[in-house]
Amino acid sequence: MRRIVGVDTARGLAVLGMVAAHVGPDDTWRTVPPGGFAQLADGRPSALFVVLAGVGLALLSGGDRPVTGTRLVQARLRILVRAALLVVLGAALVQLGTPVVVILVVYGGMFAAGTLALRWPRPVLVAASAAVALLGPLLLPLGDGAAIVSERPVDPLTVLLGHYYPAVVWMSYVLTGLAVGRSDLRSGRVHAWLAGVGAALVLAGHGGSAALTAALGRTSELTTSEPHSSSLFEVAGNTGVTLLVLAACLAVGVRWPRALAPVTATGALALTAYTGHLLVIAALGTDVVWAPTTATWLWFTVVVVALCWAWRAWVGRGPLEWVLHAVSTRAADVAPDRLPPRADDGGAAPGTGGLPGPADEAAPRQGQTSDRVQEPSPERR
């Protein structure tokens, strides 16, 4: 499957948005937009990143023409191996001690869980996403009394009920992305549908939260749409924003595929870019996060984009993306060998005399394809 330019572009915007959330300047004093421009990068880029994980799941398993049989087994193995590598990488990045909430452990866990839904039709995926968004926030209070320790990023309680990326809620984004990825992402009609649904969800999420707050005279954990509140309204609003961004990127990618080439290259190397910027934060110290400046943010953004653009043009696949691709593809080489004759057939297949016949020797071994696929890739708060 050929890479879809718009998906890489959206993933690049997600990575750059997370960079802005980590090292971007605070301007919470602004009233237009409410909470300042910094709030635009708080929570929403990571939600876009996870929605695109769902899209990646779909593309790894056939896109709008889902694979079956052995190819489905291969797709699941590739996904599970990538998920395991992402969890290991995320746990290692946590040990850097940066004041950044690393998303990769939860991301990898949800990526693995998504293999259970690879054969679900789109209506079921949409219904499941809505159910998780509705019921997930009701489970979050269970984590208040649980021993959730951020230093144990692989701890199941942290993955399921952690404050920033609780899987019981954020799995809704993965299912939404999987439903989107089961569509023809090069179709203008699909782009229009995504934009329309996205606008409606933004209105329902943020508008509904504002209306309830005004009616009740106060804000509660279930009615707020604040970043990382993981309420139904925040999930609806974030999902709407991600669909709008994805629709715009897909439309631009189809019509002018080179218009946003630097951002698209960043998305193609999303895992490398995300990991690299955390390594730089660890090298520079915590002040770059707690006392950010506009100059620092611009420096991070320009360097990330420039390095990704140059690497993509001169080398191709990113180093971490290459590891995920090579290891998962090798692990998914599961084409079955021919079975020996059944014992109840007298120990030999009919007409063969117990020896492999020409058909056995000529039968090609079903192997791994060389499809080009979407790399899954992948806050200070």
Side-chain angles (χ1 to χ4, degrees):
M1 180 175 292
R2 293 183 294 116
R3 295 191 73 90
I4 299 176
V5 172
V7 173
D8 279 338
T9 306
R11 190 177 288 115
L13 290 176
V15 171
L16 295 177
M18 286 190 285
V19 170
H22 299 158
V23 300
D26 287 323
D27 58 349
T28 53
W29 50 269
R30 294 183 185 275
T31 56
V32 180
F37 289 102
Q39 186 170 320
L40 298 178
D42 194 1
R44 296 176 180 86
S46 50
L48 175 58
F49 198 57
V50 175
V51 168
L52 292 172
V55 175
L57 286 173
L59 296 176
L60 281 167
S61 56
D64 59 336
R65 297 180 180 180
V67 296
T68 58
T70 301
R71 292 185 184 274
L72 178 60
V73 175
Q74 291 174 324
R76 282 178 169 152
L77 282 174
R78 294 183 70 182
I79 292 167
L80 290 173
V81 170
R82 290 173 182 231
L85 293 174
L86 289 170
V87 169
V88 171
L89 177 59
L93 292 176
V94 169
Q95 300 307 312
L96 294 176
T98 62
V100 171
V101 182
V102 179
I103 192 175
L104 290 184
V105 174
V106 179
Y107 182 94
M110 293 188 295
F111 206 65
T115 59
L116 301 175
L118 293 184
R119 298 189 64 182
W120 295 0
R122 272 183 299 176
V124 174
L125 289 168
V126 172
S129 175
V132 172
L134 179 64
L135 300 176
L138 302 179
L139 300 177
L140 292 181
L142 297 176
D144 293 342
I148 294 179
V149 181
S150 59
E151 286 77 11
R152 297 203 308 264
V154 188
D155 181 68
L157 284 176
T158 303
V159 172
L160 289 173
L161 302 171
H163 176 70
Y164 287 94
Y165 308 115
V168 293
V169 176
W170 280 61
M171 195 65 199
S172 174
Y173 297 131
V174 176
L175 295 170
T176 296
L178 188 51
V180 171
R182 290 292 182 231
S183 308
D184 181 3
L185 297 181
R186 296 181 176 87
S187 168
R189 184 178 180 181
V190 171
H191 305 164
W193 268 101
L194 291 177
V197 173
L201 286 174
V202 169
L203 182 61
H206 296 294
S209 173
L212 274 176
T213 299
L216 298 175
R218 61 184 181 86
T219 301
S220 70
E221 294 181 354
L222 295 179
T223 61
T224 182
S225 62
E226 290 295 314
H228 292 295
S229 60
S230 294
S231 68
L232 171 63
F233 294 98
E234 193 219 358
V235 173
N238 283 355
T239 302
V241 171
T242 63
L243 295 183
L244 285 171
V245 171
L246 182 57
C249 291
L250 289 171
V252 171
V254 168
R255 293 165 178 79
W256 308 286
R258 298 183 180 180
L260 299 173
V263 179
T264 302
T266 304
L269 277 72
L271 184 59
T272 297
Y274 179 85
T275 302
H277 100 279
L278 290 181
L279 293 175
V280 174
I281 290 175
L284 295 178
T286 59
D287 285 348
V288 73
V289 173
W290 295 125
T293 64
T294 301
T296 302
W297 166 61
L298 290 175
W299 183 87
F300 264 86
T301 302
V302 170
V303 170
V304 167
V305 172
L307 289 179
C308 289
W309 194 13
W311 185 284
R312 184 69 177 163
W314 295 338
V315 180
R317 183 178 277 119
L320 292 181
E321 287 75 15
W322 181 88
V323 171
L324 259 65
H325 173 79
V327 175
S328 64
T329 301
R330 180 65 177 175
D333 185 12
V334 294
D337 297 325
R338 291 185 66 84
L339 294 175
R342 291 181 51 160
D344 56 4
D345 290 336
T352 64
L355 300 175
D360 297 314
E361 296 174 355
R365 184 174 184 271
Q366 183 181 0
Q368 176 65 36
T369 66
S370 58
D371 297 343
R372 297 185 66 195
V373 297
Q374 292 293 333
E375 298 291 348
S377 316
E379 289 179 15
R380 162 183 65 201
R381 320 299 180 195

